[in-house]
């Protein structure tokens, strides 16, 4: 069973260059950002598409830090104020 489901908001790890699905340089655009799972592969456990890249690349469990929490959003928005 996959860790994430369609609609889950997850945070992309910052700075990875390898992952179980694959890695392309264009994925760097999403480093450290919150993204929304838009599709879960029915054929390969732990493979996902995200809405923010229009489903262009496959992402895997090891690309994500985990489910984004409201505290994550607040800490990001306060960073610019400090």
């Amino acid at each position: 069973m996959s860790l994430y489901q369609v609609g889950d908001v997850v945070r992309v790890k910052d700075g990875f260059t390898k992952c179980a699905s694959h890695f392309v340089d264009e994925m760097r655009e999403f480093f450290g950002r919150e993204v929304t799972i838009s599709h879960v592969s029915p054929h390969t456990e732990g493979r996902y598409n995200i809405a923010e890249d229009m489903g262009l690349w496959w992402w895997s469990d090891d690309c994500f830090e985990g489910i984004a929490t409201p505290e994550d959003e607040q800490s990001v928005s306060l960073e610019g104020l400090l």
Side-chain angles (χ1 to χ4, degrees), residues 41-73:
S41 172
H43 306 291
T44 307
E45 185 174 327
R47 297 289 193 275
Y48 313 92
N49 292 116
I50 61 171
E52 291 74 8
D53 73 0
M54 308 292 213
L56 185 60
W57 302 296
W58 283 107
W59 299 75
S60 52
D61 290 333
D62 59 338
C63 298
F64 306 121
E65 292 179 1
I67 298 285
T69 64
E71 292 81 28
D72 291 338
E73 293 175 21

Side-chain angles (χ1 to χ4, degrees), residues 12-19 23 27-28 31 59 62-63:
V12 177
K13 287 183 180 176
D14 194 7
F16 67 91
T17 56
K18 294 180 181 178
C19 61
F23 177 80
M27 293 168 99
R28 293 177 193 273
F31 282 1
W59 299 75
D62 59 338
C63 298

